[in-house]
Amino acid sequence: MPRTRRLTAARLGPRDVLHVGSAGLRSRPVRVVLSALGIAIGIATMIAVVGISASSQAQLLRQLDALGTNMLVAEPGEGMFSGQEVKLPKDAVGMVGRIAGVEKAAGTGDLRSSVRRSEKIPEAETGGIAVKAATEDLLDVLRGGLASGAWLNAATGRYPSVVLGHVAAERLGITGPGRQVWIDDRYFTVVGILDPLPLAPEIERSALVGWQGAERLLGFDGHPTRVYERSSDASVEEVQRLLAPTIDPQNPQNVSVGDPSSALKAKAATEGAFSTLLLGLGGIALLVGGVGVANTMIISVLERRHEIGLRRSLGATRGQIRIQFVTESLMLSGLGGLAGVALGGSATGVYASSGGLPWVVPLWAVGGGFAATLAIGTVAGLYPAVRASRLSPTLALATA
């Protein structure tokens, strides 16, 4: 008896799978765009949230690199008895400068003076601007810059000259050197305006007078209120331990030592902590987009019953039908994912450029977001694919 050959289903290559999977997308472009929009919005939200957070963090780290993390500030602490006033020694800046590892030291002293635009402005209207005596090395220790004008030197520091912090200049309405401000009972000439100082916000809101000029003209007693120092990176911890006993050996507990860069470090470390809610909203939008994809695929199965029945009658297996519809769902989600990545990256770029931030979009966010769309596309396409594969060819052709 002649042997009968068993029929085997034709295999679909990758190219064939892509062709049959994209057929439904090509025939309904408007529906594809609307279905992919939900996925795109979800991924765009997640990419933008992560990108904006990463850009802000990169800016903070850039500031830390420029300003350094090796500056410490010493100031009077609380006395042994409540309400007791504590003063740093007059030679505190010199003593700090002699500590091993300290590269530079400078100081400021608070004055009981007020600064106003002119003597005609009421004395109580100070705008929250403090007047401070400053040593000549202060700007170098702070690694600050001048927006305009010059810093105090040995000559200008002896006479009625003043340098305004960034915020102080704005509040006084002074945009450049050469103008005059009223301090106590005389006019002082503005010789410079400082750039912003993130590590010393108290200086930004101050009018700075030379050390000798403050003693001669404003009754300054010579006791520094704050001592700023820069040390080598390797000796920061040791210098921090020695600062208080060096300034006041008898009562080191009266000296408070702080690290101004710690606030920026903490902010950089916690940047993005408040973005969890927005990430959750993006995830919800992504899930909603996945539901939309599943709904689109179910409708596609119902509308294409004749096509499915015809393919089944021509020999397509159930597995091939499942692969066709899962591939179609994956391609639909993938298109939405690509659009979302582009939109999220663009939104991050616009935000970064408008705020002067570096444009940073982490690769893990892009890869993770796109992988999430493919996972959602697979899940969304499974049920419609199984439903399509279970259609009877005869019933599908009869009811089409």
Side-chain angles (χ1 to χ4, degrees), residues 200-346:
E202 70 279 2
I203 301 298
E204 292 185 335
R205 295 164 175 80
S206 300
L208 305 172
V209 180
W211 201 268
Q212 293 181 344
E215 291 178 328
R216 188 169 63 89
L217 302 172
L218 301 175
F220 178 46
D221 61 6
H223 289 275
T225 306
R226 284 186 176 86
V227 177
Y228 303 84
E229 68 80 29
R230 286 278 182 182
S231 52
S232 60
D233 292 333
S235 59
V236 171
E237 293 184 2
E238 181 65 14
V239 171
Q240 187 171 14
R241 186 180 66 83
L242 295 175
L243 265 180
T246 299
I247 294 175
D248 194 345
Q250 296 181 345
N251 299 293
Q253 71 277 2
N254 290 345
V255 180
S256 174
V257 178
D259 178 6
S261 64
S262 60
L264 282 179
K265 293 177 187 175
K267 189 175 181 181
T270 59
E271 185 66 42
F274 296 104
S275 63
T276 305
L277 177 61
L278 293 177
L279 282 175
L281 293 176
I284 292 174
L286 192 59
L287 290 176
V288 171
V291 172
V293 170
N295 184 56
T296 299
M297 295 305 302
I298 291 175
I299 295 175
S300 179
V301 170
L302 295 176
E303 292 179 344
R304 296 160 65 186
R305 292 167 63 93
H306 183 270
E307 174 192 334
I308 296 169
L310 183 61
R311 289 200 62 209
R312 291 281 285 121
S313 64
L314 293 176
T317 64
R318 289 185 174 181
Q320 291 173 349
I321 297 297
R322 286 195 294 267
I323 290 175
Q324 173 187 348
F325 281 92
V326 169
T327 301
E328 185 173 331
S329 178
L330 277 173
M331 295 180 71
L332 180 57
S333 300
L335 289 174
L338 289 175
V341 169
L343 288 173
S346 300

Side-chain angles (χ1 to χ4, degrees), residues 384-395:
V386 171
R387 181 171 178 172
S389 66
R390 290 179 177 178
L391 286 175
S392 170
T394 55
L395 291 178

Side-chain angles (χ1 to χ4, degrees), residues 129-162:
I129 303 172
V131 181
K132 298 179 182 290
T135 59
E136 295 179 19
D137 291 334
L138 179 63
L139 197 61
D140 290 337
V141 174
L142 296 178
R143 292 185 182 175
L146 286 159
S148 60
W151 176 245
L152 298 167
N153 54 40
T156 57
R158 296 173 55 89
Y159 298 99
S161 302
V162 62

Side-chain angles (χ1 to χ4, degrees), residues 8-166:
T8 58
R11 294 183 178 180
L12 292 178
R15 184 175 180 180
D16 298 323
V17 171
L18 292 176
H19 179 74
V20 296
S22 62
L25 304 183
R26 295 193 304 268
S27 61
R28 299 168 179 84
V30 176
R31 182 182 297 175
V32 168
V33 171
L34 294 177
S35 300
L37 186 60
I39 296 287
I41 291 174
I43 291 299
T45 301
M46 299 176 72
I47 294 293
V49 168
V50 174
I52 290 172
S53 176
S55 298
S56 300
Q57 187 179 48
Q59 176 69 4
L60 289 173
L61 294 175
R62 180 182 294 182
Q63 286 183 350
L64 279 174
D65 289 339
L67 299 172
T69 58
N70 58 344
M71 186 178 81
L72 299 174
V73 179
E75 56 186 333
E78 295 183 359
M80 296 180 60
F81 303 99
S82 178
Q84 181 182 5
E85 183 180 3
V86 176
K87 290 187 177 182
L88 301 182
K90 291 185 177 181
D91 57 347
V93 175
M95 290 189 296
V96 170
R98 290 191 289 270
I99 298 176
V102 173
E103 298 173 347
K104 289 182 180 180
T108 61
D110 291 345
L111 301 174
R112 299 184 182 275
S113 304
S114 62
V115 56
R116 291 167 286 164
R117 188 67 181 82
S118 72
E119 76 276 15
K120 296 181 181 180
I121 296 177
E123 187 174 354
E125 297 181 10
T126 63
I129 303 172
V131 181
K132 298 179 182 290
T135 59
E136 295 179 19
D137 291 334
L138 179 63
L139 197 61
D140 290 337
V141 174
L142 296 178
R143 292 185 182 175
L146 286 159
S148 60
W151 176 245
L152 298 167
N153 54 40
T156 57
R158 296 173 55 89
Y159 298 99
S161 302
V162 62
V163 172
L164 299 177
H166 173 69

